[in-house]
Amino acid sequence: DVKVTQSSRYLVKRTGEKVFLECVQDMDHENMFWYRQDPGLGLRLIYFSYDVKMKEKGDIPEGYSVSREKKERFSLILESASTNQTSMYLCASSLRPGVAASYNEQFFGPGTRLTVL
Amino acid sequence: GIQVEQSPPDLILQEGANSTLRCNFSDSVNNLQWFHQNPWGQLINLFYIPSGTKQNGRLSATTVATERYSLLYISSSQTTDSGVYFCAVVASTSGTYKYIFGTGTRLKVLA
């Protein structure tokens, strides 16, 4: 079974702090994703990565950066946390999309509920 | 871009009842997934179903790609089925792929 883990289930930080959210997958997936989920807004893509050291902006990258130094690990960084970044953060992974449609199946981690005070 | 709509937005059932959740999408897609988000927030994979019909216990799903919809059936519902159900599609545009999520159906099953 694919397993995606996230470093924390709950996190409380103060405004202005630098925050690191870590995500690790154990299935050698090429693609990894960071989403945030807010009531009424659904899941929104922040960043994704399709290979080591590669990253692409999603729909709402402002205020975030990412790092992918190893294939299994994808980090989301809040350089200076703000209260409007209080949210549920979800990490996902998938094989690279290819001719075989099954490569597109996404698998999610348990999520991190971040509160910025 | 592709629009993904789910219906109904909210559903309340008595334990033991059956239900059908619908996912409509506005253009052709490469694949479709159904997820259940449990009360702790994790998205659990239910089905990967770009076309056809699949069954897993009390749950089954059907996707008719040519008519741009998918259905999730829940039979003999249990309180543990409560949560939010999402469908997500993958669409390709100019060689890049994007996952697009529906807005979800919030299900509450009463004991």
Side-chain angles (χ1 to χ4, degrees):
Chain A
D1 280 351
V2 176
K3 191 166 185 181
V4 181
T5 57
Q6 295 183 226
S7 50
S8 305
R9 293 299 303 272
Y10 299 93
L11 206 53
V12 179
K13 295 292 182 181
R14 297 211 171 270
T15 302
E17 280 192 79
K18 190 169 187 175
V19 182
F20 293 87
L21 303 182
E22 303 284 336
C23 176
V24 178
Q25 50 92 6
D26 67 356
M27 283 302 291
D28 204 33
H29 283 174
E30 286 89 356
N31 296 335
M32 295 189 75
F33 309 81
W34 276 106
Y35 296 88
R36 65 177 282 178
Q37 185 180 23
D38 301 286
L41 296 176
L43 275 81
R44 294 181 290 169
L45 181 65
I46 305 171
Y47 267 98
F48 69 98
S49 168
Y50 53 88
D51 205 345
V52 175
K53 297 191 185 294
M54 305 301 286
K55 60 185 179 184
E56 292 284 342
K57 292 180 180 179
D59 299 319
I60 50 163
E62 297 79 19
Y64 303 94
S65 62
V66 290
S67 172
R68 189 150 182 217
E69 296 296 318
K70 294 185 178 181
K71 191 175 185 179
E72 68 271 19
R73 187 180 298 268
F74 192 34
S75 302
L76 180 70
I77 303 156
L78 288 65
E79 295 288 342
S80 179
S82 64
T83 55
N84 62 13
Q85 292 179 310
T86 292
S87 186
M88 174 68 146
Y89 289 88
L90 293 161
C91 174
S93 73
S94 72
L95 285 167
R96 185 191 299 280
V99 174
S102 63
Y103 283 5
N104 297 144
E105 186 173 7
Q106 269 194 326
F107 297 86
F108 281 83
T112 296
R113 290 191 184 275
L114 172 67
T115 301
V116 183
L117 302 175
Chain B
I2 288 185
Q3 304 296 315
V4 181
E5 294 181 352
Q6 291 186 242
S7 60
D10 295 280
L11 188 58
I12 300 175
L13 297 175
Q14 205 65 39
E15 198 169 29
N18 303 329
S19 63
T20 301
L21 282 57
R22 188 176 181 103
C23 173
N24 290 334
F25 40 97
S26 59
D27 205 343
S28 58
V29 298
N30 294 83
N31 66 53
L32 186 142
Q33 282 185 258
W34 281 98
F35 297 92
H36 174 217
Q37 188 166 37
N38 64 25
W40 297 271
Q42 182 159 12
L43 283 162
I44 308 297
N45 290 41
L46 296 178
F47 293 102
Y48 173 83
I49 185 166
S51 63
T53 296
K54 290 186 178 180
Q55 180 152 9
N56 184 3
R58 296 180 296 103
L59 274 59
S60 64
T62 295
T63 296
V64 184
T66 52
E67 296 186 22
R68 299 178 184 167
Y69 72 89
S70 183
L71 302 173
L72 177 69
Y73 306 96
I74 305 174
S75 64
S76 303
S77 58
Q78 301 175 358
T79 56
T80 51
D81 295 331
S82 297
V84 184
Y85 291 80
F86 290 99
C87 66
V89 302
V90 174
S92 65
T93 306
S94 303
T96 62
Y97 291 79
K98 187 170 183 179
Y99 294 82
I100 302 166
F101 286 79
T103 51
T105 291
R106 185 174 300 274
L107 173 65
K108 185 163 187 175
V109 181
L110 304 175

